[in-house]
Each structure stands twice: as structure tokens, then as C-alpha cells.
Amino acid sequence: MNYNIIKKNILLEGKTKIIYKTNNSFKIIIHHKDDLTALNGLKKSCLLDKGVLTNEISTLIFKFLNYSGIKTHFIKKINNREQLCHKVNIIPLEFVIRNIVTGSLSKRLGIKEKKKIPNGIIELFYKDDKLGDPLINESHAIFLEIISHEELIYIFSIVKNINNLLKLYFFNKGIILVDFKIEFGRNKNNEILLSDEISPDTCRLWDRNTMKKLDKDLFRMEFPKKEKIFDSYMEILKRLNK
């Protein structure tokens, strides 16, 4: 399909991506930057060509999810850093799906790391940089008029489906999907679409045999080597391309 899309001025710039307007008011272009951020943006760095890797990895995953019947904002990859996507109004909630205990969940609940969570745990975070993206529950989200009860039930069902699809998808590539963050938005028809990106920037991914980390957790470490981070992202891309 030929969209005859022309990139125009910047609509929004985030920590790791730039969103451009196009000549089509219902389409946007997402540009992946080389920036690395952690701890709600308190830790920042730049990793040359990281944006190329996250763009390609996210493209492969969104193509898989589209093929599997999940409605997403992704249309196609334009070049090595950019994707054409449906424009959505992002719902200011982050849905974090945890399959194995690690990170903040371990610290908050005092549970030993690497404990498996049979059916997964879904957590909600309110997207607000000034508040530090606080953990909230369903009642908070509805009270804040972010989302309706019916929409939450609908999204939770999608989230569980995505988790089941991606756990198997990654497992078949020799990777354990430990946890991941996803976001949703409403398009021009008020349909809810999976949006943003899915990559080692937004997932914890461990090697199935060695339990070696292959994601942004390496950047969260005290003395990360940039070459190690890049090689881990590249390893994910190589496996997904097989």
C-alpha cells in the first residue's frame, strides 16, 4: 500500500524517540534515538546506533503481533531508524507484566529474585514525569478519569494475550521474557491499539540457558560497558531474525 507520506515537523520528543507529524493527520513517523535512559530519566547516556537496533527489534515484534491478531499502531518500517504508525492519543498508563520476580518487585515485596510467577502479574503505573510515574491500581486509574472500567477489562485481556504470545515467541528464540512494559492509545475511531515500542529498552530478556541479561538492565548496573549493552541488543536482533 502506498501512503505517499511526507515527514513534517516534530509533534513530540521523548527520552528515546521523536514523533513527527506527516501530511496525513492520522499517521505519524516515529524516530528511534540513540539515547539510553534509566531510573525515570535520572541516568542518561548515548549508545551509537542503539536506535537502529531498537527500531528493527520493535518492527519484528510488532509485525509478529499484528500477524497474531493484536491491533497495534504499527504500519511499516520506513528506514533503519523510523516507522510509520497510526496516530493515537496515548493513554497515560504503563502496563508492566511480570513473569519472574526481579528488580523493584523483589525489593517492594521482599521476594527472592528469579521466582517464577505462574500466570504473570500486571502492574499499572501512572505516566507523569513530575510524579515519578507512580504505581497505582485500577481504582486510581478510573478515579483519575484516565480510563473506564470496561476499557481496563478489555486491555487486561489483551495484555494477557500479548504476554502468552511473546513468552512463546522469545522462548523459541532461546530467550526468557522476564517482564516488559507496554502502552496503549486510542486512534481516530476511538479503538484501543498497542502503541509505543517493544524492545530491550522496555523488556527484561534473559538467555534461556545461561540466564545472562540481554537488555537495558545492563545499563542500570553501576559500571556498564557500552560495548556489552550494544552486543546484547544485537544478540536479541540476531535471534529474532532466525
Side-chain angles (χ1 to χ4, degrees):
M1 186 179 294
N2 183 11
Y3 290 97
N4 296 317
I5 294 296
I6 299 172
K7 184 164 73 173
K8 301 183 81 173
N9 54 311
I10 293 175
L11 176 64
L12 179 70
E13 182 167 1
K15 298 183 183 76
T16 61
K17 293 181 289 295
I18 303 173
I19 299 174
Y20 290 92
K21 295 179 181 178
T22 71
N23 58 320
N24 185 321
S25 58
F26 301 119
K27 304 288 188 297
I28 56 168
I29 290 173
I30 297 179
H31 175 96
H32 288 251
K33 302 193 292 186
D34 289 339
D35 293 357
L36 273 169
T37 67
L39 308 174
N40 283 329
L42 295 176
K43 187 174 184 179
K44 302 176 184 178
S45 187
C46 183
L47 179 62
L48 184 62
D49 287 338
K50 188 220 74 168
V52 175
L53 298 181
T54 54
N55 182 44
E56 182 62 26
I57 291 169
S58 193
T59 291
L60 290 170
I61 295 171
F62 270 90
K63 280 184 174 180
F64 165 73
L65 291 174
N66 280 344
Y67 178 79
S68 301
I70 302 296
K71 293 183 178 180
T72 82
H73 73 159
F74 176 83
I75 298 172
K76 67 175 182 176
K77 187 178 85 167
I78 299 173
N79 55 49
N80 66 349
R81 285 186 180 271
E82 295 179 330
Q83 300 173 2
L84 177 66
C85 297
H86 297 289
K87 184 180 179 182
V88 298
N89 292 317
I90 289 291
I91 299 168
L93 293 172
E94 294 180 348
F95 294 80
V96 175
I97 305 90
R98 303 186 184 276
N99 297 309
I100 295 177
V101 175
T102 190
S104 63
L105 182 64
S106 175
K107 294 174 183 177
R108 274 189 278 121
L109 301 182
I111 303 174
K112 188 176 180 180
E113 292 217 349
K114 298 184 180 180
K115 182 179 177 65
K116 292 183 179 179
I117 305 168
N119 297 311
I121 290 174
I122 301 174
E123 295 181 331
L124 288 179
F125 292 83
Y126 180 30
K127 279 175 61 68
D128 188 311
D129 288 339
K130 293 179 182 178
L131 298 176
D133 298 341
L135 174 67
I136 64 173
N137 61 30
E138 296 96 312
S139 296
H140 291 136
I142 295 167
F143 172 72
L144 291 168
E145 298 182 350
I146 295 169
I147 196 168
S148 70
H149 176 69
E150 292 74 22
E151 286 176 324
L152 265 179
I153 292 174
Y154 175 68
I155 289 179
F156 281 148
S157 68
I158 298 172
V159 167
K160 291 176 182 177
N161 192 11
I162 291 171
N163 188 35
N164 290 332
L165 287 166
L166 290 185
K167 279 197 298 183
L168 183 58
Y169 175 74
F170 280 113
F171 187 83
N172 288 334
K173 311 286 185 178
I175 302 164
I176 295 172
L177 179 59
V178 178
D179 57 38
F180 63 107
K181 182 268 293 183
I182 50 178
E183 298 180 23
F184 293 86
R186 300 179 182 93
N187 69 2
K188 61 179 181 178
N189 299 318
N190 211 36
E191 291 179 295
I192 292 177
L193 305 180
L194 176 66
S195 305
D196 196 47
E197 70 171 292
I198 301 178
S199 76
D201 271 6
T202 62
C203 305
R204 280 191 174 97
L205 304 168
W206 294 350
D207 180 87
R208 197 174 75 193
N209 297 317
T210 66
M211 307 298 276
K212 175 184 174 183
K213 295 180 179 181
L214 300 169
D215 56 73
K216 196 172 72 171
D217 248 6
L218 295 168
F219 180 61
R220 295 185 181 98
M221 294 165 63
E222 190 173 359
F223 300 110
K225 291 184 178 180
K226 288 187 177 181
E227 297 84 0
K228 186 176 181 181
I229 299 171
F230 186 89
D231 289 347
S232 295
Y233 280 46
M234 180 61 78
E235 179 64 23
I236 293 295
L237 179 55
K238 286 179 181 177
R239 295 195 192 187
L240 298 190
N241 267 321
K242 286 184 180 179

